[in-house]
């Protein structure tokens, strides 16, 4: 996983609520066994018409937003399916940070596992940042995870909260499996408690 | 690991009993009892293990099944779509390499993972259950803490049998009273989502309680918990009771004999204590709930079947008004019109929400002696091979086939259209599935969520309609 420290980039405004993971990457594109290559189909239904041509009205088909690395949107972003293909598609498109008033839980979690920083901010601030993003091609936002601030194009700052453990993993680019494996003894002890004796094992023979 | 003696909720108890270790910042290493795996969200996880040289820590707590991609037509032929075939073959290679128990496509027990788990006694009360699928919340009907995870977490569970989690907040939704004729668990859940909204449960685990919930059979409780995710909740739960225990008893992978008694004794301790703290409580009167249907592209866009399609003018917030207009445009509906009477092209009865034997019986009760309306394609996709076989033993297949329904093989099918079962652009579908998102059932497809009985009523009349008008007096 790539580290996330500081990002200065174009931000694309998507002023809709409840953008679900089926919109971010429709199910027909989930038939891959890879994590990469999904960016071309991110937001496919809004981005392309029935013949595969770009719809000029869609924000990510417009300059400068086709180079956006930040998305700013409204409530409950990433609701619906748990598909991690959604953050994979965003990442493959180039998105490293999503700013919204609220996120669906599973999507929020999946972002951190892929080096994407989801930032929760009150709706009026999201709308203010969307206005910043609409100022044209010289308008850039800076997201500084170390300092937990967003620097607006006029130099003003907006601070944000982030879970300290997740912040640490993002700043260092660490995956958490190795960290959990360091607690192997505790897991072993837990598994062998007498109170868990009723939990049946599932064996190959029995599923035939 | 119980930390205090204060009254606890069902969720608190299951959570406490699965904490391996509490880290300094409050994050918990949570032990996972059951890990269900399917072909779409697992390939990258197994690849991750392979690259790191890690085994599956507990193959005997893991079960794999193919469901999302599988054709629901003739299974004797090879799978035509090469990418679907590759995903299924990849799962088969992975389960063989890592020694994971697996229900193959041609097994009589194959089916939708959230139907198979409870049906086989793999999902049990008091357990933690995860799967790379948001509708894992279904298994909460057993009185287990069950939730969907992403592929990175699938890899984490395969490698460590644990997850790093922070506790959720507790929400309790009471539904008290007796539901009326034609009102099902689906209608109760649509009413709940309509009330609290699709983000109403965010950060919470919802415990469903009250007399109307106690009265539900296990299939109904599964429907309810299944759509907890549509209310934004991390999970849904129903307290395990005698209905649960008699459902579990004798299932292939359930504990047997003395182990079953030991388990039951434990399960009886799990109910929320009197005085346990819920961060949020919501109450609905069962008598107020009527057969319901969605009109828009979010499950919260729900109407009573005799309701009127809303207008953007009803909403003060311009963003919301714009969203309503967009949904009306997408759905091809007109504000101010009755939802009933809208013609349908397709009826889909299936999915992890509503494909169990009880669902098929309730649809068959409406269909018996009637015929699918002209120009309607109606399909039944049982939730598992065993559901299909049971329905055939009861003669339900004949009722559906005689009426002009398609009687298909088990799988996720048109709920998400990863296999060939898809809507074409503009087609309107009465569907027993769980999501009416834009393009969910196929690009440009228009989905109306409803119960199996309501979907059956739409099939035989050709329009969205009130199932109560088709219910016959018992003879």
């Amino acid at each position: 996983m790539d580290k996330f420290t500081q990002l200065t980039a174009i931000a694309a405004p998507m002023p809709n609520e409840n953008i679900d993971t089926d919109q971010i990457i429709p199910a027909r594109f989930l038939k891959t066994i890879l994590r990469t290559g999904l960016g071309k189909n991110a937001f496919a239904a809004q981005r392309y018409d029935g013949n595969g041509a770009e719809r000029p009205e869609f924000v990510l088909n417009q300059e400068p937003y086709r180079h956006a690395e930040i998305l700013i949107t409204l409530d409950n972003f990433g609701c619906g399916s748990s598909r991690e293909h959604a953050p994979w598609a965003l990442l493959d498109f180039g998105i490293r940070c999503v700013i919204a008033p609220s996120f669906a839980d599973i999507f929020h979690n999946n972002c951190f596992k892929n080096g994407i920083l989801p930032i929760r901010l009150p709706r009026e601030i999201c709308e203010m940042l969307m206005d910043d993003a609409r100022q044209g091609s010289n308008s850039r936002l800076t997201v500084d995870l170390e300092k937990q601030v967003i620097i607006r194009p006029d130099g003003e700052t907006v601070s944000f909260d982030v879970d300290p453990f997740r912040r640490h993993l993002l700043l260092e680019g660490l995956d958490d499996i190795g960290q959990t494996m360091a607690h192997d003894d505790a897991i072993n002890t837990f598994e062998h408690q007498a109170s868990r004796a009723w939990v049946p094992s599932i064996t190959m023979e029995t599923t035939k | 690991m119980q930390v205090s003696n204060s009254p606890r909720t069902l969720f608190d108890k299951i959570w406490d009993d699965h904490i391996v270790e509490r880290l300094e910042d409050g994050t918990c290493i949570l032990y996972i009892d059951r890990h269900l795996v399917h072909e779409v969200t697992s390939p990258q996880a197994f690849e991750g293990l392979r690259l790191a040289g890690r085994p599956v820590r507990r193959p005997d707590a893991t079960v794999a099944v193919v469901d999302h991609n599988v054709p629901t037509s003739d299974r004797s032929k090879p799978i035509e779509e090469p990418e679907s075939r590759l995903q299924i073959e990849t799962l088969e290679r992975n389960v063989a390499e890592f020694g994971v128990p697996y229900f193959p496509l041609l097994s009589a027990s194959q089916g939708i993972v959230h139907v198979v788990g409870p049906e086989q006694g793999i999902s049990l009360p008091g357990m933690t259950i995860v799967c790379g699928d948001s509708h894992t919340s279904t298994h909460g009907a057993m009185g287990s803490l069950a939730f969907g995870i992403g592929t990175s977490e699938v890899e984490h569970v395969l490698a460590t049998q644990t997850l790093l989690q922070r506790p959720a907040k507790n929400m309790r939704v009471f539904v008290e009273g007796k539901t009326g004729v034609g009102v099902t668990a689906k209608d109760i859940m649509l009413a709940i989502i309509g009330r609290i909204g699709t983000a109403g449960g965010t950060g919470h685990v919802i415990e469903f309680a009250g007399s109307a919930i106690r009265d539900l059979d296990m299939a109904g409780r599964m429907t309810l918990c299944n759509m907890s995710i549509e209310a934004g909740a991390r999970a849904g739960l129903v307290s395990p009771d005698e209905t649960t225990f008699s459902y579990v008893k004798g299932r292939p992978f359930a504990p047997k004999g003395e182990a079953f008694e030991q388990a039951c004794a434990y399960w009886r301790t799990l109910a929320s204590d009197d005085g346990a703290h819920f961060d949020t409580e919501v109450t609905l009167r069962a008598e107020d709930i009527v057969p319901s249907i969605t009109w828009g592209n979010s499950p919260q866009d729900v109407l009573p079947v005799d309701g009127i399609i809303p207008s953007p003018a009803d909403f003060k917030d311009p963003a919301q008004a714009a969203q309503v207009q967009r949904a009306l445009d997408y759905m091809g509906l007109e504000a101010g019109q009755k939802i009933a009477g809208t013609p349908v092209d397709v009826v889909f009865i299936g999915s992890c929400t509503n494909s169990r034997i009880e669902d098929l019986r309730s649809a068959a009760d409406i269909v018996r002696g009637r015929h699918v309306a002209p120009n309607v394609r109606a399909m039944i996709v049982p939730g598992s091979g065993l559901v299909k076989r049971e329905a055939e033993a009861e003669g339900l297949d004949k009722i559906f086939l005689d009426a002009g329904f398609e009687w298909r093989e088990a799988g996720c099918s048109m709920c998400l259209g990863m296999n060939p079962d898809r809507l074409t652009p503009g087609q309107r579908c009465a569907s027993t599935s769980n999501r009416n998102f834009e393009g969910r059932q196929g690009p440009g497809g228009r989905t109306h969520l409803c119960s199996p009985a309501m979907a059956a009523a739409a099939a035989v009349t050709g329009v969205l309609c009130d199932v109560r008008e088709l219910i016959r007096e018992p003879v």
Side-chain angles (χ1 to χ4, degrees), chain B residues 340-365:
Chain B
T342 308
V344 298
D345 305 299
V346 177
V347 169
F348 170 63
I349 298 178
S351 88
C352 56
T353 313
N354 280 125
S355 62
R356 297 178 183 82
I357 188 70
E358 294 83 350
D359 299 314
L360 303 194
R361 286 179 192 141
S362 116
D365 281 344

Side-chain angles (χ1 to χ4, degrees), chain B residues 315-453:
Chain B
F315 296 83
K316 280 199 194 114
D317 176 11
Q320 274 183 332
Q323 211 124 354
V324 169
Q325 187 58 54
R326 173 177 161 150
L328 291 175
D329 293 345
Y330 182 85
M331 293 297 289
L333 294 171
E334 214 176 304
Q337 301 294 304
K338 286 187 169 179
I339 188 81
T342 308
V344 298
D345 305 299
V346 177
V347 169
F348 170 63
I349 298 178
S351 88
C352 56
T353 313
N354 280 125
S355 62
R356 297 178 183 82
I357 188 70
E358 294 83 350
D359 299 314
L360 303 194
R361 286 179 192 141
S362 116
D365 281 344
I366 301 299
V367 170
R368 190 176 286 113
R370 295 188 170 114
H371 203 276
V372 173
N375 306 320
V376 172
R377 178 190 182 193
M379 54 201 286
I380 309 273
V381 183
S384 72
L386 296 186
V387 169
K388 183 171 191 244
R389 204 149 68 180
E390 194 174 354
E392 287 169 352
E394 295 178 14
L396 304 186
D397 59 323
K398 195 161 179 323
I399 294 172
F400 291 123
L401 286 165
D402 287 352
F405 275 85
E406 298 170 24
W407 179 248
R408 303 182 72 92
E409 300 291 334
C412 298
S413 181
M414 201 185 269
C415 174
L416 83 168
M418 277 195 76
N419 77 345
D421 308 340
R422 268 175 224 151
L423 296 179
T424 55
Q427 272 190 330
R428 186 178 304 284
C429 179
S431 178
T432 67
S433 56
N434 39 60
R435 290 189 178 133
N436 51 356
F437 297 158
E438 288 178 19
R440 169 77 178 183
Q441 295 192 288
R446 295 163 169 166
T447 303
H448 295 273
L449 303 175
C450 61
S451 71

Side-chain angles (χ1 to χ4, degrees), chain A residues 22-48:
Chain A
D22 273 79
Q23 286 182 55
I24 299 172
I25 185 81
R28 61 189 183 281
F29 302 114
L30 309 188
K31 299 182 190 199
T32 172
I33 57 170
L34 305 173
R35 285 176 155 96
T36 50
L38 290 159
K40 62 181 179 294
N41 292 312
F43 298 102
Q46 287 108 302
R47 208 160 137 209
Y48 307 112

Side-chain angles (χ1 to χ4, degrees), chain B residues 6-312:
Chain B
S6 53
R8 294 182 297 161
T9 65
L10 169 59
F11 164 71
D12 296 337
K13 292 181 189 186
I14 301 175
W15 178 268
D16 289 350
D17 283 354
H18 288 85
I19 297 175
V20 172
E21 222 175 303
R22 197 186 302 268
L23 307 179
E24 265 173 43
D25 70 335
T27 302
C28 293
I29 301 178
L30 193 74
Y31 196 79
I32 301 302
D33 293 318
R34 291 286 181 257
H35 186 190
L36 309 172
V37 172
H38 68 81
E39 78 276 19
V40 177
T41 57
S42 67
Q44 296 86 350
F46 282 112
E47 184 62 14
L49 291 185
R50 204 174 280 121
L51 290 172
R54 291 169 178 151
V56 172
R57 183 186 167 90
R58 289 289 307 275
D60 65 331
T62 312
V63 178
V65 62
V66 280
D67 57 7
H68 281 63
N69 255 319
V70 300
T72 57
S73 51
D74 186 357
R75 295 244 165 110
S76 62
K77 297 176 189 149
I79 295 167
E80 274 176 29
E81 292 190 14
E83 290 174 306
S84 293
R85 196 168 64 234
L86 176 63
Q87 245 176 8
I88 291 165
E89 287 168 358
T90 302
L91 182 67
E92 294 187 336
R93 213 172 39 246
N94 285 332
V95 297
E97 180 180 336
F98 289 93
V100 170
Y102 171 57
F103 292 105
L105 183 57
L106 296 178
S107 157
S109 303
Q110 178 270 341
I112 305 173
V113 64
H114 309 310
V115 174
V116 171
E119 180 177 79
Q120 294 288 335
I122 290 166
S123 313
L124 296 169
M127 285 183 158
T128 47
I129 302 172
V130 298
C131 174
D133 191 285
S134 59
H135 290 112
T136 309
S137 58
T138 311
H139 309 259
M142 309 300 302
S144 55
L145 176 61
F147 52 93
I149 56 178
T151 298
S152 296
E153 292 191 316
V154 169
E155 186 181 339
H156 194 281
V157 178
L158 288 172
T160 69
Q161 204 57 33
T162 67
L163 276 177
L164 295 173
Q165 290 273 307
R166 296 176 78 95
K169 287 190 271 191
N170 282 287
M171 177 186 285
R172 182 158 54 185
V173 175
F174 272 109
V175 188
E176 293 287 1
K178 290 262 178 224
T179 49
V181 175
V183 176
T184 67
K186 184 65 159 285
D187 303 296
I188 297 176
M189 196 55 201
L190 288 173
I192 293 170
I193 297 166
R195 168 79 82 84
I196 70 175
T198 50
T202 303
H204 293 77
V205 167
I206 302 178
E207 179 176 343
F208 299 97
S211 55
I213 307 299
R214 294 260 75 84
D215 288 348
L216 289 174
D217 59 21
M218 292 306 292
R221 295 178 187 187
M222 288 182 218
T223 300
L224 205 67
C225 290
N226 171 276
M227 290 188 73
S228 304
I229 184 74
E230 267 60 65
R234 289 208 199 159
L237 284 169
V238 176
S239 196
D241 58 10
E242 296 308 319
T243 303
T244 322
F245 307 146
S246 59
Y247 175 92
V248 168
K249 195 170 186 179
R251 303 237 160 221
F253 294 89
K256 304 276 181 324
E258 205 176 311
F260 182 75
E261 296 310 319
Q262 187 201 343
C264 272
Y266 170 59
W267 297 339
R268 286 181 214 281
T269 68
L270 293 173
S272 291
D273 296 327
D274 289 340
H277 173 73
F278 287 88
D279 301 275
T280 312
E281 298 214 55
V282 176
T283 303
L284 282 81
R285 267 166 40 95
E287 290 79 5
D288 295 342
I289 301 171
V290 295
S292 299
I293 191 138
T294 63
W295 64 270
N297 298 118
S298 165
Q300 72 191 5
D301 297 341
V302 63
L303 283 175
V305 66
D306 55 0
I308 303 288
I309 298 163
S311 159

